[in-house]
Amino acid sequence: MARASEQAYERIRAEIISGRFPPGHRLIEADLTALCEVSRTPVREALRRIVNEGLAEFSPNQGAQVVDLAAEDLEALYDLRTLIEGYGAARAATRISPAQIAELESLTGLMEALVDGGVDGAPEAAGANSRFHRIILEAAQSPRLLSVASQVIEAPLVLRTLARYSPDERVRSMAHHRELIAAFRAGDSQWAQAVMISHIKAAFTAIRRDIVQPGPG
Amino acid sequence: MARASEQAYERIRAEIISGRFPPGHRLIEADLTALCEVSRTPVREALRRIVNEGLAEFSPNQGAQVVDLAAEDLEALYDLRTLIEGYGAARAATRISPAQIAELESLTGLMEALVDGGVDGAPEAAGANSRFHRIILEAAQSPRLLSVASQVIEAPLVLRTLARYSPDERVRSMAHHRELIAAFRAGDSQWAQAVMISHIKAAFTAIRRDIVQPGPG
DNA sequence: CATTCCATTTTCGTATACAATTACTCTCTA
DNA sequence: TAGAGAGTAATTGTATACGAAAATGGAATG
């Protein structure tokens, strides 16, 4: 089975994103071996991948630990994300297929339903949101973009942005998704880019409200 | 020694960038084990890193092979690079230290000397050029940016852009470097960004002249 | 002569054992 | 009591062996 490392990757990633491995938590290879029920070799491979996607940080001979975004320059991270996802949305506007647009609509409908139903569908909604963004990046038809984007999209997942939104912010976020779809339908790159930038800036504002950034030095 | 994998990484990278491993060349782990004189474990680790930086591509159960940029969408790659390095230059303009500016000057002087001396100092000049760009990205003071940038900077190294430049283009490239330093001295983000964008667009033009892009489909 | 199928070989994926490095704790001393 | 040092435990880094998947080559068949 060529998926021991894949299995390890998904398991560790889930632990981090769910918050069961909190920021700063050390990722000991032996522990992960037990958790994932595979040997250290695929665990190490999964770890490198997770580090590469920005979910963890790595020090030689000291292993990896879950990234602590509160200690990082969140504004720089979100600026980069704005740049990259904005570019992706612009490219996607002239390349996206009707089938992909239909998928975006379906996901948006799902998320709206989860938001309206008072129950806490946060994890599911987060998953749908991730797929929404991923479809756009895939529609941009640039493998390199996909790979680059993962580095600025994965890390913020530990923040569980959607769960922090106020009701108003949730409504706005859904509106952004609807407007993105409209921009794609129109094939308008600038429009799509502008909405995507708004979407990410809005997310950053919600994050910044919650997380106290460390002063310089 | 924690540097068996590091040693393997540097060796394999050098083989690719020098062209001794040409585009499309299969990177067989056993061969690399012999070449690097370390076991397969660190070789595999080095390979994953090289794949991640975009110097090679990977297929499950089939290993890695050196990236063939002629088969890729070069315009998309360079667009991304423009975006990311332009942003880096803008950030660097307000954060770079005098010592870093001095380093940039020193490297530019070295490159100019290599260009003037008729001998083929291409590999050295390429190294100096890489360091020049790296210092700027470091001056931008965003670890994530550094990591993201590597993915769009490393891959084009296989093209050996500098060696393709005409004498005029070389002069222009040096002028860009000098102008970047001036923009940094002025602390002018927009200026630095504009020059960096020009610098990369110029490189792309030289590349596009040489490489025939495959049609869509 | 082209094609398909099977055996062989090559190569990657995983597990495990060992080496090297780092972190920790306890003791001894000022 | 605070600090330094040595010895021990914990953890990562590397090597090697085995298993699984895929590429290859040749023979049989239409």
Side-chain angles (χ1 to χ4, degrees):
Chain A
M1 48 172 160
R3 58 187 179 286
S5 66
E6 186 72 19
Q7 173 186 329
Y9 165 76
E10 284 171 10
R11 187 66 199 265
I12 298 168
R13 181 177 181 277
E15 297 291 315
I16 294 174
I17 291 177
S18 73
R20 283 210 292 275
F21 286 170
H25 181 256
R26 280 192 67 186
L27 299 164
I28 306 293
E29 293 174 6
D31 298 348
L32 302 175
T33 292
L35 176 74
C36 306
E37 294 173 313
V38 299
S39 80
R40 270 183 64 207
T41 309
V43 162
R44 278 174 69 85
E45 191 167 321
L47 271 182
R48 300 305 154 97
R49 188 170 158 198
I50 282 169
V51 166
N52 233 292
E53 290 178 349
L55 286 173
E57 287 168 345
F58 179 81
S59 308
N61 287 313
Q62 292 179 240
Q65 54 184 66
V66 177
V67 69
D68 184 3
L69 286 187
E72 198 171 312
D73 186 345
L74 270 179
E75 188 163 6
L77 174 58
Y78 271 85
D79 278 353
L80 254 182
R81 191 176 171 182
T82 302
L83 217 58
I84 292 168
E85 283 210 84
Y87 171 68
R91 267 183 77 90
T94 58
R95 291 170 174 83
I96 194 166
S97 72
Q100 285 171 317
I101 291 180
E103 269 193 276
L104 293 182
E105 281 208 307
S106 159
L107 286 169
T108 302
L110 173 61
M111 290 179 70
E112 283 170 347
L114 287 168
V115 165
D116 288 344
V119 295
D120 183 22
E124 288 170 66
N129 187 55
S130 286
R131 284 199 296 282
F132 186 94
H133 283 258
R134 165 160 280 269
I135 287 168
I136 294 172
L137 287 168
E138 284 171 353
Q141 290 174 30
S142 166
R144 194 83 49 180
L145 173 62
L146 210 57
S147 156
V148 163
S150 76
Q151 287 196 32
V152 290
I153 292 180
E154 289 287 308
L157 290 180
V158 306
L159 298 172
R160 289 187 287 288
T161 310
L162 281 181
R164 298 172 188 273
Y165 279 169
S166 71
D168 281 357
E169 286 169 337
R170 258 169 242 201
V171 169
R172 179 187 285 155
S173 180
M174 294 301 106
H176 283 154
H177 280 207
R178 289 280 175 210
E179 189 172 357
L180 270 169
I181 293 173
F184 290 147
R185 278 235 174 73
D188 191 321
S189 287
Q190 287 189 318
W191 187 11
Q193 181 167 11
V195 177
M196 182 60 88
I197 290 174
S198 306
H199 188 55
I200 297 169
K201 287 286 183 190
F204 175 56
T205 296
I207 293 291
R208 187 165 48 182
R209 186 182 52 220
D210 281 18
I211 296 185
V212 179
Q213 284 276 302
Chain B
M1 51 173 158
R3 60 187 177 285
S5 66
E6 186 71 18
Q7 173 185 329
Y9 164 76
E10 284 171 9
R11 186 65 200 264
I12 298 168
R13 183 177 180 277
E15 296 291 313
I16 293 174
I17 291 178
S18 73
R20 284 211 291 276
F21 286 172
H25 180 256
R26 279 193 66 186
L27 298 164
I28 307 294
E29 294 174 6
D31 299 348
L32 302 176
T33 291
L35 176 74
C36 306
E37 296 174 310
V38 298
S39 79
R40 270 183 63 208
T41 310
V43 161
R44 277 174 69 85
E45 191 167 321
L47 272 181
R48 300 305 155 99
R49 187 169 159 198
I50 281 169
V51 166
N52 221 286
E53 290 177 350
L55 286 172
E57 287 167 344
F58 179 82
S59 308
N61 288 313
Q62 289 178 244
Q65 53 184 66
V66 178
V67 69
D68 185 3
L69 286 187
E72 198 169 312
D73 187 344
L74 270 180
E75 187 164 7
L77 174 57
Y78 270 84
D79 278 353
L80 254 182
R81 192 176 169 182
T82 302
L83 217 58
I84 292 167
E85 283 210 85
Y87 171 68
R91 266 182 77 88
T94 59
R95 291 171 174 83
I96 194 166
S97 72
Q100 285 171 317
I101 291 181
E103 267 194 277
L104 293 181
E105 281 208 306
S106 159
L107 285 168
T108 302
L110 173 62
M111 291 180 70
E112 283 171 347
L114 287 167
V115 164
D116 288 345
V119 294
D120 183 22
E124 288 169 66
N129 187 56
S130 287
R131 285 198 296 281
F132 186 94
H133 283 258
R134 165 160 282 267
I135 287 168
I136 293 172
L137 288 168
E138 284 171 353
Q141 291 175 28
S142 166
R144 194 83 51 181
L145 173 62
L146 210 57
S147 156
V148 162
S150 76
Q151 287 196 33
V152 290
I153 291 181
E154 288 287 306
L157 290 181
V158 307
L159 298 171
R160 290 186 287 288
T161 310
L162 281 180
R164 297 173 189 272
Y165 279 171
S166 71
D168 281 357
E169 286 170 335
R170 258 169 244 198
V171 168
R172 179 187 285 155
S173 180
M174 293 303 105
H176 283 153
H177 280 207
R178 290 280 176 207
E179 189 172 357
L180 270 170
I181 293 173
F184 290 147
R185 278 235 175 72
D188 191 322
S189 288
Q190 286 190 318
W191 187 10
Q193 181 168 12
V195 176
M196 182 59 89
I197 291 174
S198 306
H199 188 55
I200 297 170
K201 288 286 183 190
F204 176 55
T205 297
I207 293 291
R208 187 166 49 182
R209 187 182 53 221
D210 282 17
I211 297 184
V212 180
Q213 284 277 302

